[in-house]
């Protein structure tokens, strides 16, 4: 007989099931309110504190082995988040990410063994040109995740839309996604080309990847 804990562990999770279904059919999924609004507020405050402590660095192109700052391609500033050093906000973030990863591994055998996340700040006037999230020398990134930490009154005219370039059999269809606070976007790292449009107000987020070995 199963213990009560095993029974609880196998209850279907509606949100995760939708993520699995939509990634299966469209290669991406948008989840508003993936994190409770208190968690979003704590993460936003954590980002702002670290920014004030001057801990962000200009982002590079390529992975950590191949770092060249190329401002004409991306203008964001980033700070990697170490899970072992997580503060309260980051702990809440990782709790929820880890729960989702466990679910994906258990129900879809995704084989996710590693993850990496960084805060990102796009100063006014910056962007990230169209790209794909995998590198020639590293194809372990399977799913890209972006969580937006902007202000509650974020407006469309602030720019900074994420554009996913989707393909049906006939044509390319751009999918425009506004970086609304609390919104999470997940997409297949190896398939979906995307860009971040120029921002006219600073734009805050966490971006990361779920990876296989
Ligand atoms: C990235 C990226 C998208 C976004 O950091 O690689 O594409 O909406 N971010 O911030
Ligand atoms: Mn990207």
């Amino acid at each position: 007989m199963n213990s009560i804990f095993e029974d609880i562990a196998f209850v279907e999770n509606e949100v995760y099931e939708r993520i699995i279904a939509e990634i299966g059919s469209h290669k991406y999924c948008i989840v508003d309110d993936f994190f409770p609004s208190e968690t979003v507020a704590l993460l936003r405050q954590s980002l702002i504190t670290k920014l004030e402590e001057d801990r962000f660095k200009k982002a590079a192109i390529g992975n950590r082995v191949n770092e060249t700052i190329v401002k004409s391609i991306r203008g964001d500033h980033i700070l990697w988040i170490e899970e072992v050093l997580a503060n309260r906000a980051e702990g809440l973030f990782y709790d929820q990410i880890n729960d989702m990863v466990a679910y994906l591994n258990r129900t879809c055998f995704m084989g996710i063994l590693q993850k990496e996340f960084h805060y990102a700040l796009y100063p006014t006037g910056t962007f990230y040109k169209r790209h794909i999230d995998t590198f020639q020398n590293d194809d372990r990134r399977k799913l890209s995740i972006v969580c937006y930490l902007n202000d509650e009154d974020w407006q469309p005219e602030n720019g900074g839309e994420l554009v996913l370039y989707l393909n049906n059999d006939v044509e390319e269809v751009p999918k425009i996604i506004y970086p609304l606070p609390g919104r999470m976007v997940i997409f297949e790292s190896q398939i979906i080309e995307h860009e971040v449009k120029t921002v006219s107000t600073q734009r805050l987020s966490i971006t990361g990847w779920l990876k296989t070995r």
Side-chain angles (χ1 to χ4, degrees):
M1 212 181 88
N2 282 349
S3 81
I4 185 164
F5 295 107
E6 282 169 84
D7 288 340
I8 289 167
F10 282 88
V11 167
E12 266 196 21
N13 178 303
E14 238 176 82
V15 175
Y16 300 157
E17 288 297 327
R18 180 164 77 80
I19 291 170
I20 292 164
E22 290 190 18
I23 290 177
S25 55
H26 298 103
K27 315 294 179 212
Y28 78 95
C29 181
I30 302 170
V31 188
D32 290 324
D33 310 317
F34 183 78
F35 298 100
S37 55
E38 308 84 74
T39 305
V40 176
L42 286 170
L43 286 165
R44 177 182 159 77
Q45 194 46 56
S46 169
L47 185 158
I48 290 168
T49 302
K50 290 175 182 205
L51 194 63
E52 286 167 358
E53 292 166 0
D54 213 13
R55 292 167 61 182
F56 280 58
K57 298 222 158 57
K58 282 197 180 117
I61 310 294
N63 58 20
R64 288 192 242 190
V65 186
N66 170 28
E67 285 185 332
T68 318
I69 295 164
V70 186
K71 248 173 82 189
S72 60
I73 298 178
R74 68 186 291 190
D76 56 328
H77 296 197
I78 67 166
L79 175 65
W80 290 96
I81 306 171
E82 304 296 342
E83 187 173 4
V84 288
L85 303 177
N87 61 26
R88 174 153 166 258
E90 294 157 358
L92 293 170
F93 175 85
Y94 273 114
D95 283 349
Q96 208 142 339
I97 292 291
N98 291 340
D99 191 64
M100 178 177 71
V101 167
Y103 195 95
L104 295 178
N105 282 344
R106 193 175 68 227
T107 62
C108 309
F109 307 104
M110 283 212 47
I112 294 158
L113 291 165
Q114 292 180 346
K115 53 198 180 278
E116 51 187 12
F117 286 92
H118 63 61
Y119 291 108
L121 168 93
Y122 285 74
T124 300
T126 61
F127 49 79
Y128 194 156
K129 289 268 199 259
R130 183 168 171 162
H131 66 282
I132 198 151
D133 281 348
T134 48
F135 309 116
Q136 270 146 12
N137 57 347
D138 184 355
D139 64 356
R140 290 172 301 171
R141 288 178 173 182
K142 298 301 172 208
L143 291 176
S144 301
I145 298 182
V146 195
C147 306
Y148 299 110
L149 304 178
N150 291 311
D151 225 312
E152 278 304 326
D153 61 2
W154 182 264
Q155 300 297 320
E157 52 270 27
N158 295 347
E161 304 92 323
L162 169 65
V163 184
L164 305 181
Y165 293 96
L166 308 172
N167 280 293
N168 59 31
D169 293 337
V170 187
E171 56 185 348
E172 183 173 272
V173 186
K175 168 76 188 172
I176 295 167
I177 301 169
Y178 292 103
L180 302 179
R183 169 169 282 175
M184 178 171 83
V185 183
I186 308 185
F187 57 91
E188 284 201 21
S189 308
Q190 300 181 356
I191 295 177
I192 303 247
E193 288 187 34
H194 55 283
E195 76 172 304
V196 178
K197 294 289 194 185
T198 305
V199 302
S200 55
T201 306
Q202 69 173 15
R203 175 192 195 266
L204 316 182
S205 59
I206 292 177
T207 302
W209 295 273
L210 304 183
K211 301 163 64 164
T212 52
R213 204 194 291 285

